[in-house]
């Protein structure tokens, strides 16, 4: 029987077919999970609708994660259509381009707030909104996407690294808070993948090359490898794991010199 037969999930962060969120959604759907998707703004609606055409029982809703009203509307609709909810995938991040490109010391107050609101706080807001639906299902699995720049200073990653450090701490605090309700919260720290968001990082192509040369597996990771790890962290195969950051980076993070 498929691993996630009869389960439901919601995926935030599909922009196009190269999005990590889309690779994860395909893996979850393959294992039988019924999915809701959100898109930010009309610009991306058509993309998401086109991708999801092959999943006729899916739900597609607008959601800018900076809006509490939009978050509430999404979970009301999901509750009406799905009843409960078993999983939430957070694959959303943003920092203003000038704050990523400037010297880190020149990071603006507004940019700092925006990056933390969209990339870290949103995990708290979305998880809180999902809580009543997880409780209906009797359990929940939350998964977020992070990067090594949360732990170490990575050239060009700048403000996003600080926001990811906040996201990783948020994962631990949510996991500690919600564990007694049988809700697990984990993250995947993915090696670099060529997506829309990644192109906002100055020197990203050089980063890809460097990772492929230095990682123990001597290559970059495939979207499918990230998606399969996500499937593990969302399914009951990882029932004893919460508050963790799992690296899917070809081993890059273990290398010293
Ligand atoms: P992506 O396809 O561009 O996905 C990023 C998503 O975040 C987009 O759908 C984007 O929508 C959405 N987003 C931004 N601001 C939002 C807001 N206010 N409300 C709702 N959604 C918003 O890029 P990706 O690389 O797959 O990124 C997914 C996650 O993986 C991110 O957390 C990223 O930091 C993480 N990650 C990526 C890499 C990598 O190398 N690509 C490595 C490690 C971790 P818009 O396009 O409309 O802004």
């Amino acid at each position: 029987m498929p691993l996630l037969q009869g389960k439901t999930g919601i995926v935030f962060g599909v922009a196009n077919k190269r999005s990590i969120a889309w690779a994860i959604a395909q893996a979850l759907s393959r294992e039988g999970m019924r999915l809701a998707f959100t898109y930010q703004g009309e610009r991306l609606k058509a993309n998401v609708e086109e991708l999801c055409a092959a999943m006729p029982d899916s739900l597609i809703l607008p959601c800018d994660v900076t809006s509490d009203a939009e978050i509430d509307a999404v979970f009301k609709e999901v509750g009406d259509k799905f009843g409960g909810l078993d999983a939430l995938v957070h694959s959303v991040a943003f920092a203003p381009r000038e704050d990523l490109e400037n010297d880190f010391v020149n990071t603006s107050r507004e940019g700092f707030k925006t990056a933390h609101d969209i990339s870290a706080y949103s995990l708290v807001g979305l998880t809180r909104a999902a809580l009543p639906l997880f409780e209906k299902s009797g359990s929940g699995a939350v998964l977020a996407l992070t990067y090594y720049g949360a732990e170490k200073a990575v050239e060009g990653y700048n403000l996003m690294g600080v926001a990811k450090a906040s996201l990783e701490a948020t994962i631990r605090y949510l996991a500690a808070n919600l564990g007694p309700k049988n809700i697990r919260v984990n993250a995947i720290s993915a090696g670099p993948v060529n997506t829309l968001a990644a192109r906002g990082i100055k020197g990203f192509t050089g980063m890809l090359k460097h990772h492929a040369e230095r990682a123990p597996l001597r290559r970059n990771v495939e979207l499918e490898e990230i998606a399969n790890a996500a499937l593990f962290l969302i399914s009951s195969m990882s029932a004893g794991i919460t508050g963790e950051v799992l690296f899917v980076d070809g081993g890059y993070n273990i290398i010293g010199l």
Side-chain angles (χ1 to χ4, degrees):
M1 187 165 100
L3 268 180
L4 301 173
Q5 194 67 50
K7 304 274 186 194
T8 56
I10 183 162
V11 179
F12 293 82
V14 175
N16 57 38
K17 66 173 195 273
R18 290 203 189 84
S19 294
I20 294 174
W22 178 240
I24 293 174
Q26 286 174 288
L28 300 180
S29 170
R30 185 183 78 222
E31 290 297 329
M33 183 170 263
R34 184 179 179 197
L35 292 171
F37 294 89
T38 66
Y39 59 88
Q40 193 212 175
E42 287 303 305
R43 186 174 52 90
L44 292 180
K45 186 178 179 189
N47 275 3
V48 179
E49 279 177 347
E50 200 179 311
L51 287 172
C52 297
M55 297 176 193
D57 61 350
S58 60
L59 201 57
I60 303 172
L61 302 163
C63 187
D64 178 334
V65 297
T66 61
S67 162
D68 288 331
E70 288 192 23
I71 292 175
D72 288 346
V74 161
F75 284 94
K76 167 145 193 343
E77 186 73 11
V78 171
D80 289 348
K81 297 276 163 44
F82 287 4
L85 194 66
D86 301 285
L88 187 161
V89 177
H90 176 285
S91 189
V92 169
F94 176 80
R97 183 175 280 269
E98 54 282 13
D99 285 305
L100 288 174
E101 289 183 351
N102 283 344
D103 280 352
F104 181 70
V105 71
N106 292 325
T107 301
S108 68
R109 189 185 298 272
E110 263 323 295
F112 192 95
K113 279 189 197 163
T114 302
H116 282 72
D117 186 11
I118 296 178
S119 315
Y121 177 76
S122 59
L123 187 69
V124 180
L126 295 177
T127 303
R128 183 172 58 242
L131 207 50
L133 298 181
F134 286 153
E135 287 180 313
K136 267 196 187 160
S137 297
S139 68
V142 177
L143 178 75
L145 273 300
T146 184
Y147 174 64
Y148 186 56
E151 284 185 20
K152 303 285 181 192
V154 172
E155 201 180 329
Y157 204 60
N158 295 341
L159 173 57
M160 189 49 78
V162 183
K164 290 297 192 194
S166 169
L167 177 73
E168 291 186 11
T170 300
I171 284 156
R172 289 185 285 274
Y173 278 92
L174 281 174
N177 187 190
L178 301 178
K181 293 184 190 291
N182 203 19
I183 294 165
R184 300 184 299 112
V185 187
N186 291 294
I188 287 175
S189 185
V193 185
N194 201 353
T195 63
L196 204 59
R199 276 179 234 137
I201 309 292
K202 203 164 129 194
F204 182 74
T205 310
M207 206 179 202
L208 271 176
K209 188 168 173 287
H210 175 81
H211 262 258
E213 285 168 1
R214 293 297 310 279
L217 293 182
R218 296 290 188 273
R219 61 175 177 82
N220 286 307
V221 290
E222 304 287 337
L223 278 170
E224 200 188 356
E225 294 168 332
I226 300 171
N228 285 335
L231 178 60
F232 165 69
L233 285 174
I234 283 171
S235 75
S236 60
M237 301 285 282
S238 63
I241 300 175
T242 193
E244 294 292 343
V245 175
L246 176 65
F247 279 90
V248 182
D249 67 345
Y252 181 87
N253 76 96
I254 65 154
I255 295 299
L257 200 61

